[in-house]
Amino acid sequence: MNFVPNHTPFELSAEQLTELTLDYASNSIYLDNEEWENSDNPYRRQLRPQIIKHLDFGKPLGVEQVLEYSALAANRLLAAIYETDLVFLPKKGFTEESYADFRKYYSATNRARGEMIRPSLERHVFGFLDDEVEVSGAWTKESLAAYLGKLADEPQTASASEKAIRESSDPRRAARNWLIQFAPDFLSEASPMIRNVLGYYGPVQSEWFKVIIDEYGYGVHETKHSTLFEDTLTSVGLGTDVHRYWQYYLTSSLMLSNYFHYLGKNHEHFFRYLGALYYTETTLVPWCKRAADLLTEVFDGEADVRYFTEHVHIDTHHGRMALEKLILPIVDYCGESVIPEIVRGFEEFQVVNRIADEDFAAQVAWMDAGPRNKELHEPVWGKVEAGEVTAPVAHIVEPHGELSNTHQHDGDELCHIVSGTMKFVSGYDSHQILEAGQGTVIWRNRLHGAIIESEECVYEIHSVGDYRACLS
């Protein structure tokens, strides 16, 4: 590749970024596969490189765009890049295939390619926060302590996700999908945080390490927090392989996990991490209590909720530690000039967390609406067929077993089956069977995929923009 003069790998032209991203995503471990789940192979992450050439990662997304397909693709790429810093091994040991994938994932070539595109992808995904969060005014240690301290006294109410699960037509399905969204973070819990305890910066470094020791169960594997989360997954019938459910991670779930890697990987954001840490450690206490109660209720007492009850116990302590042993001492150590960055991290994480909460609630509504969306195909298709609605259309022919790895669209779509049978998937354990003459409405920004169950399937995807407008 010939680089444009005065450009560096951290300031790439659109063409360079696309080419480098395609180089990275074309690694065989990132190609589409033939199964919905990645069984005991933590190196497989479907990145859909065939679509990347159509995407522009060269500029920050606006807040109204952070759930679009470009954001999903970039967050998947970032998750794969960040985790080459972590060690993952298959639960049952290597097969010939998984050992080959291990070598490909951790190879110098894969890591170098990832680092070349990482800063651009980070700007693309997290750049919107510069517009969403503004920190101004003169800050002192005392005003910071008062500002952060109010959080512990604020009333905590049920999140949109919790309400969506309780109100779902299938609460158990919704709850399993909810737990799946936590897997990118919880199965390698505290790994992003460890990035911040390397180096040398005095007593605060040792205090922060105490938090990490708690997360790792004081060296007892059975009490390690990620082990407790595995027990939760197993108790509700889910697998515990790392990234087994990669296909079902929502854009915002990956963004939430990636945010802490983003702060931890880029040490210029060290102080932001402290602010985000305080928010999550403090709000986890009431959230985990509600989560434990919700899972107990939904699964009739069968769910192992020790992961959540342990956090109710330990994070009361961690929230206090984050303020008294980490944040305020670091202000003493570094000066009040770092306070705006601490506040920025505190505020940024709330924005990302709110987006993830609302996104999951919308996905539950999308899964619940599956039968209704299938019914809506008929009136929308009638408008299209009669020429009352003109929409760009893609004509597709696929063979038996063809798997359309999960993705989403930036506008509403209409799927119409001309011939054959399609299993249309809208989430884990959520699908509709579509036969010839049938179809479904596909909501904007909703994760979905499909698999062909007939010898051949001919279907059309009509980009209708807003399906509700078609019905008016």
Side-chain angles (χ1 to χ4, degrees):
M1 172 182 292
N2 295 318
F3 285 100
V4 177
N6 298 322
H7 279 268
T8 72
F10 303 100
E11 190 180 337
L12 302 167
S13 70
E15 295 77 13
Q16 291 166 355
L17 180 57
T18 298
E19 185 174 344
L20 287 168
T21 305
L22 276 171
D23 284 345
Y24 178 80
S26 297
N27 189 327
S28 62
I29 58 176
Y30 299 142
L31 304 181
D32 287 3
N33 66 352
E34 299 177 355
E35 302 291 338
W36 284 109
E37 299 175 14
N38 299 322
S39 180
D40 203 25
N41 188 330
Y43 320 112
R44 293 273 173 173
R45 293 114 188 277
Q46 294 72 34
L47 300 182
R48 304 187 81 228
Q50 69 273 21
I51 307 299
I52 285 175
K53 62 184 176 183
H54 303 294
L55 303 176
D56 179 8
F57 298 127
K59 56 187 178 182
L61 295 167
V63 66
E64 72 284 353
Q65 299 172 304
V66 295
L67 297 180
E68 293 184 352
Y69 183 74
S70 176
L72 173 62
N75 274 292
R76 282 173 167 172
L77 285 158
L78 282 173
I81 292 166
Y82 288 138
E83 290 187 344
T84 56
D85 290 342
L86 315 182
V87 176
F88 294 113
L89 298 176
K91 285 180 172 293
K92 298 177 182 177
F94 285 122
T95 62
E96 183 177 346
E97 179 185 53
S98 63
Y99 186 54
D101 290 345
F102 166 88
R103 295 173 66 86
K104 292 173 186 175
Y105 184 64
Y106 291 115
S107 70
T109 299
N110 187 53
R111 289 183 287 111
R113 284 175 171 167
E115 285 302 300
M116 293 183 77
I117 61 177
R118 177 176 60 80
S120 296
L121 295 173
E122 289 172 337
R123 283 197 301 271
H124 186 66
V125 169
F126 297 114
F128 80 99
L129 292 169
D130 291 339
D131 296 323
E132 290 299 300
V133 175
E134 181 179 353
V135 181
S136 60
W139 289 86
T140 65
K141 176 183 173 183
E142 290 71 28
S143 64
L144 174 65
Y147 178 75
L148 297 180
K150 290 189 299 183
L151 180 63
D153 299 324
E154 289 181 359
Q156 299 290 318
T157 58
S159 66
S161 296
E162 295 164 54
K163 293 176 183 177
I165 293 169
R166 281 200 163 90
E167 296 169 5
S168 172
S169 59
D170 191 338
R172 290 193 173 197
R173 179 182 68 190
R176 289 189 179 99
N177 276 274
W178 193 46
L179 289 171
I180 284 170
Q181 304 313 310
F182 303 138
D185 178 18
F186 290 2
L187 288 179
S188 55
E189 190 163 16
S191 293
M193 196 189 306
I194 289 176
R195 299 179 190 274
N196 290 305
V197 298
L198 306 176
Y200 175 84
Y201 53 89
V204 171
Q205 184 181 20
S206 298
E207 293 293 338
W208 201 335
F209 195 70
K210 292 177 184 177
V211 176
I212 292 170
I213 291 173
D214 284 344
E215 301 287 354
Y216 279 78
Y218 277 84
V220 179
H221 184 70
E222 289 73 19
T223 58
K224 184 172 178 279
H225 287 181
S226 62
T227 304
L228 297 179
F229 184 64
E230 289 186 45
D231 293 340
T232 299
L233 295 176
T234 300
S235 71
V236 300
L238 293 172
T240 62
D241 304 332
V242 171
H243 297 320
R244 181 186 187 98
Y245 301 109
W246 176 270
Q247 299 267 26
Y248 301 105
Y249 297 157
L250 301 182
T251 304
S252 61
S253 303
L254 287 169
M255 180 169 65
L256 198 62
S257 175
N258 284 339
Y259 179 71
F260 280 106
H261 280 290
Y262 164 59
L263 298 187
K265 180 81 170 178
N266 300 288
H267 290 311
E268 67 267 32
H269 301 320
F270 175 82
F271 303 106
R272 291 190 197 184
Y273 200 115
L274 287 168
L277 175 70
Y278 179 74
Y279 182 84
T280 190
E281 294 290 356
T282 303
T283 57
L284 265 176
V285 175
W287 180 82
C288 281
K289 185 179 187 308
R290 296 196 311 271
D293 292 343
L294 175 59
L295 293 171
T296 298
E297 173 188 330
V298 167
F299 292 102
D300 296 327
E302 297 173 2
D304 185 331
V305 298
R306 289 176 301 149
Y307 173 87
F308 299 96
T309 56
E310 168 65 15
H311 278 79
V312 172
H313 161 68
I314 199 65
D315 282 338
T316 302
H317 175 55
H318 284 173
R320 185 171 60 251
M321 282 185 67
L323 181 61
E324 298 175 0
K325 300 295 186 180
L326 304 183
I327 293 175
L328 297 183
I330 210 73
V331 171
D332 288 335
Y333 189 75
C334 297
E336 293 179 338
S337 61
V338 305
I339 293 178
E341 280 291 284
I342 296 172
V343 175
R344 175 170 287 278
F346 179 82
E347 294 292 338
E348 283 185 350
F349 183 72
Q350 291 180 70
V351 173
V352 177
N353 192 53
R354 183 182 68 249
I355 291 170
D357 182 38
E358 294 171 355
D359 186 28
F360 178 76
Q363 189 72 16
V364 173
W366 156 246
M367 291 189 293
D368 286 348
R372 177 59 178 158
N373 288 331
K374 184 177 177 180
E375 292 173 0
L376 286 172
H377 160 267
E378 185 173 349
V380 177
W381 171 247
K383 298 267 188 173
V384 171
E385 193 175 30
E388 297 178 35
V389 173
T390 302
V393 58
H395 301 274
I396 303 169
V397 180
E398 292 181 337
H400 179 268
E402 181 73 11
L403 175 65
S404 176
N405 282 234
T406 55
H407 58 283
Q408 57 203 45
H409 302 290
D410 296 346
D412 292 343
E413 308 274 342
L414 178 70
C415 175
H416 174 72
I417 308 300
V418 177
S419 63
T421 303
M422 173 190 289
K423 181 178 182 180
F424 182 84
V425 176
S426 55
Y428 177 76
D429 196 28
S430 176
H431 69 271
Q432 301 293 316
I433 299 297
L434 307 178
E435 305 281 1
Q438 298 179 332
T440 188
V441 167
I442 305 173
W443 295 0
R444 172 178 181 264
N445 292 344
R446 289 303 105 214
L447 193 72
H448 65 280
I451 190 165
I452 304 307
E453 298 205 327
S454 54
E455 184 176 343
E456 180 183 83
C457 184
V458 179
Y459 63 99
E460 301 170 351
I461 299 294
H462 297 262
S463 300
V464 295
D466 183 346
Y467 79 88
R468 287 156 293 200
C470 296
L471 298 172
S472 61

